[in-house]
Amino acid sequence: MSTFFYIILNIANSIDNNLNFLYNTPISEFKEINARAKKGGAILSEPILKVQNLKTVFFTDDGQVPAVDGIDFYINEGEILGIVGESGCGKSVTSLSVMGLVSEPGKIVDGKIHFNGEDITHAPERKMRTLRGNEIAMIFQEPMTSLNPVFTIGDQLTEAIRIHRKISKKQAKDRATELLQLAGLPRPKALLDNYPHQLSGGMRQRVMIAMAMACDPKVLIADEPTTALDVTIQKQILNLMKKLNRETGTAIVLITHDLGVVAQMCERVIVMYAGKIVEEGAVRDIFNHPSHPYTKGLLASVPDLRRQTSRLYSIPGNVPKPGSITEGCLFYPRCQEAMAICAQKRPGLVDLKNGHRVRCFLHGEVEEA
Amino acid sequence: MLAYSIRRLIALIPVLIGMSLIVFGIIRAIPGDPALAILGQKATPEALKQLRHALGLDKPWYTQYFSFITDLLKGDFGTSLRTHAAIRQEIWPHLAATIELSVLAMLIAVVVGVNLGILSAWKQNSVIDVASMVIALVGVSMPVFWLGLMAQWIFSIKLGWLPSIGRENIRDPVTAITNFYIIDTLLAGRIDQFWEIIRHLILPSLALATIPMAIIARMTRSSMLEVLRSDYIRTARAKGQKMFWVVYKHALKNAFIPVLTVIGLQTGLLLGGAILTETIFGWPGIGSYIYDAIQYRDYPVIQSGILLVAFIFVIINLIIDLLYAAFDPRIKYK
Ligand SMILES: Nc1ncnc2c1ncn2[C@@H]1O[C@H](COP(=O)(O)OP(=O)(O)OP(=O)(O)O)[C@@H](O)[C@H]1O
Ligand code: SF4
Ligand SMILES: [Mg+2]
């Protein structure tokens, strides 16, 4: 049954992906040439953002919660990388860690974050401030509450610009108008004087996107930008982000729990489960050969618009509370293909091919280091 | 904003009418005969009757109320039964003295209280947080008269740093212009006298400010703690904004909305406290003026005094309402 879904999805998506490929390649090449020109050709292959073995732990009264437990990923300039996983698997904490915005009692306890070749893992607040909103921007999963209700849109937009650019209020206002237009908002000039509560959720998310793009960031982290929006708006927002990615070359880390969104938007994808990467690779490979039982489950739960009657599949059970499973594979309690070894040992990442990696004993008895 | 302000102003009319009726009614319900109070126990019934007629006390109540209101609208508060002076002129210096003291006290309470609250929330569980919350707790649990007496005892009697009573140095009286002495001394270019006025203001205004300050600090802290957790604060930080501006711009404007309610309530209570404080510090304010009038059953004075204080309450509420709208754009559109 579920295999049938991905076959249909695959046909649709592979067309999409190929298109993706077509219009993304020239940009990334262009960006690389640019980067090479800027840096004297030294760091051609260096990704713009690289995260290695990131561990973020919340030190709560009830003990330590390892929300992110050894995540590795990178993103190249101009690329769109997908990160998928169910609610609570650590997607938001990963992005906040990169931004240096993990709130108390959370702490990055291990790993490295490199941005533009520079280690920013424990960079001082002053340094992080010059990056946030300027080089790395972020949009959040809650468009309704992410804008300050007591300041106008114009106020909040010009602020985002003027923190990093020494320009006059008037110039910032012009730029803000331009940004709103870029984000596809009607009558941008009048919108500047509006307050968030006068806008719909979709419009607010567009404003958030405009704000994130204010200083032409190199990386945009979009944390479930469309989860709270209805389907048609979701599509518009995704199209907008794709357009911005193409036109400005901003790399996007697109976080979602919907593999359908990934298929539409990304070249590479990372599947997270309980704070760890369980599978990663090219979108095409993952859709054609999903290798982790969790990924298979996620694929089966992608809504299929072509078959109205089918009920939405969802993986039985919930993401375990981080740190609650101390032995065996973290997916073991929910896994339909579990084996004896899975209850005792922790699987490590196994390389399949072309950077397609999976954390599962079905693909080789590799234990976690 | 303008339409909203006008709407609020119109809404005040029934409040003011109701208020004047209540004050008028209460004064008349107080036992005791003003004519008797004026003429004394030995007055003849004839003389009493004549005086009552002269005062209009023999007319039906609605006639009395009507002439009371029309006089008020003309700005005529009547004459004091005791001093025979026009109340309008007599009352102003007292009112100004109270306003000067209360405004200063409220200013201290708001500025110090709000900042203490912000710091505590920002550096939650730090030394600053614990210290300021202890201060706040102690502040709320102290009665204003005790605080006033202690301050007087320590700073003027023991240490001799500050004067203990009065509003000015009686050997060097201020020439009244506006009757706000801070302003008057500056207008007269008397810096030395200005400092003297400030020295007189310190103890009573601090005594008066302590309780509202403590309550405002606690309210600000809890409101700030909630706001600092919200999504738009994270957005502001994600923009690269400095924490100082995140706190003082983004968080404060939101957190201030519930604090405004408390400020409004506390300002009202502070006016009540002002009367008590005036007694302790010999402050020639409206409180002592009304108090004296009550002793003499000086009806017109009591009536005008209470009405003025009530009017100030209403104005404070209006200001708070308008501030709400200024701080929260969502209010105007409801
Ligand atoms: N402040 C915190 N204190 C303690 N634990 C936290 C805190 N914030 C997050 N966590 C833990 O981190 C885990 C991951 O949370 P995170 O918000 O990253 O999930 P997510 O993948 O973004 O989920 P969603 O799809 O719901 O946004 C959660 O299980 C949660 O228990
Ligand atoms: S390791 Fe075992 S339990 Fe874990 S996903 Fe693979 S098969 Fe399932
Ligand atoms: Mg999240």
Side-chain angles (χ1 to χ4, degrees), chain B residues 3-317:
Chain B
Y4 175 80
S5 310
I6 291 170
R7 248 186 300 149
R8 302 299 327 186
L9 273 173
I10 291 171
L12 279 189
I13 294 171
V15 175
L16 291 173
I17 292 174
M19 203 174 75
S20 64
L21 266 173
I22 290 170
V23 172
F24 180 83
I26 286 177
I27 301 291
R28 255 124 278 241
I30 296 173
D33 181 349
L36 198 66
I38 296 165
L39 296 177
Q41 293 295 335
K42 291 191 203 98
T44 62
E46 239 70 315
L48 283 174
K49 201 171 168 207
Q50 242 171 15
L51 183 62
R52 282 200 200 105
H53 183 73
L55 293 173
L57 291 172
D58 56 349
K59 297 208 184 80
W61 71 269
Y62 47 86
T63 321
Q64 288 186 40
Y65 175 73
F66 189 73
S67 60
F68 163 65
I69 286 294
T70 41
D71 284 350
L72 266 188
L73 289 177
K74 281 183 274 175
D76 179 4
F77 288 85
T79 42
S80 161
L81 295 182
R82 183 162 58 102
T83 62
H84 306 290
I87 296 173
R88 183 165 50 150
Q89 269 146 42
E90 212 177 55
I91 208 167
W92 175 243
H94 295 279
L95 192 62
T98 298
I99 292 176
E100 191 168 44
L101 178 62
S102 311
V103 167
L104 185 69
M106 212 51 214
L107 223 61
I108 296 172
V110 171
V111 172
V112 178
V114 166
N115 281 292
L116 272 186
I118 291 174
L119 282 179
S120 313
W122 183 359
K123 312 277 178 199
Q124 199 191 350
N125 300 328
S126 69
V127 180
I128 300 174
D129 183 19
V130 176
S132 64
M133 283 308 110
V134 167
I135 296 173
L137 201 69
V138 173
V140 207
S141 38
M142 269 196 293
V144 64
F145 67 89
W146 187 82
L147 208 82
L149 289 173
M150 285 308 286
Q152 228 171 22
W153 184 67
I154 297 172
F155 294 103
S156 45
I157 298 173
K158 283 279 154 198
L159 297 170
W161 290 352
L162 294 163
S164 65
I165 56 162
R167 195 183 173 198
E168 60 186 330
N169 184 347
I170 41 170
R171 270 159 302 193
D172 181 16
V174 174
T175 328
I177 304 167
T178 63
N179 278 300
F180 296 115
Y181 284 0
I182 290 187
I183 298 172
D184 290 351
T185 50
L186 286 179
L187 285 179
R190 293 284 308 276
I191 298 300
D192 58 321
Q193 218 177 20
F194 172 78
W195 286 120
E196 195 55 34
I197 296 305
I198 295 290
R199 273 163 47 80
H200 278 85
L201 269 166
I202 292 175
L203 285 184
S205 60
L206 282 182
L208 207 51
T210 306
I211 294 172
M213 182 210 76
I215 292 171
I216 290 169
R218 286 173 54 164
M219 188 65 211
T220 308
R221 178 180 186 268
S222 66
S223 176
M224 270 305 245
L225 279 178
E226 198 175 313
V227 167
L228 282 173
R229 274 195 291 269
S230 47
D231 295 334
Y232 52 81
I233 293 301
R234 199 180 47 191
T235 306
R237 296 200 64 202
K239 283 180 191 175
Q241 185 58 282
K242 288 195 179 83
M243 200 54 198
F244 179 85
W245 290 116
V246 172
V247 169
Y248 273 85
K249 180 184 169 188
H250 287 271
L252 184 57
K253 198 171 174 198
N254 282 280
F256 202 64
I257 296 163
V259 176
L260 261 178
T261 315
V262 173
I263 292 178
L265 285 172
Q266 288 303 313
T267 313
L269 287 174
L270 182 129
L271 275 179
I275 291 168
L276 208 62
T277 316
E278 281 171 10
T279 323
I280 298 167
F281 288 97
W283 197 261
I286 188 96
S288 50
Y289 184 63
I290 296 174
Y291 182 80
D292 287 348
I294 292 172
Q295 304 285 306
Y296 287 93
R297 296 206 193 289
D298 196 343
Y299 269 4
V301 170
I302 304 172
Q303 197 164 267
S304 326
I306 294 180
L307 210 57
L308 267 179
V309 173
F311 183 69
I312 292 172
F313 266 95
V314 173
I315 296 298
I316 291 168
N317 272 312

Side-chain angles (χ1 to χ4, degrees), chain A residues 58 60 65 67-68 85-94 103-106 141 223-224 255 257 320-322:
Chain A
F58 287 91
T60 67
V65 181
V68 175
E86 283 169 296
S87 192
C89 71
K91 306 182 299 288
S92 296
V93 175
T94 304
S103 55
E104 290 280 319
Q141 92 195 69
D223 186 2
E224 304 198 36
I255 294 173
H257 55 236
K321 197 176 163 293

Side-chain angles (χ1 to χ4, degrees), chain A residues 6-131:
Chain A
Y6 355 122
I7 292 169
I8 293 174
L9 258 171
N10 281 343
I11 298 167
N13 290 321
S14 61
I15 298 169
D16 244 18
N17 280 334
N18 287 328
L19 288 176
N20 246 353
F21 194 71
L22 278 180
Y23 48 60
N24 273 313
T25 320
I27 297 275
S28 45
E29 257 171 33
F30 169 74
K31 288 290 273 192
E32 267 172 22
I33 295 163
N34 246 353
R36 202 166 8 165
K38 268 186 222 153
K39 291 175 207 138
I43 336 173
L44 170 63
S45 55
E46 190 71 3
I48 183 74
L49 178 68
K50 198 165 86 187
V51 173
Q52 291 165 292
N53 191 32
L54 177 70
K55 278 193 183 144
T56 304
V57 175
F58 287 91
F59 295 87
T60 67
D61 294 337
D62 310 326
Q64 301 187 3
V65 181
V68 175
D69 194 5
I71 294 278
D72 292 275
F73 70 88
Y74 66 89
I75 182 165
N76 293 313
E77 288 195 53
E79 190 185 16
I80 304 184
L81 170 75
I83 299 184
V84 265
E86 283 169 296
S87 192
C89 71
K91 306 182 299 288
S92 296
V93 175
T94 304
S95 32
L96 291 172
S97 300
V98 172
M99 297 292 287
L101 288 178
V102 180
S103 55
E104 290 280 319
K107 253 202 188 77
I108 297 179
V109 294
D110 200 4
K112 287 261 174 290
I113 301 165
H114 285 267
F115 176 76
N116 217 358
E118 198 179 343
D119 184 353
I120 59 163
T121 326
H122 297 290
E125 174 67 15
R126 195 141 36 91
K127 165 76 186 169
M128 288 312 289
R129 273 207 316 265
T130 64
L131 296 180

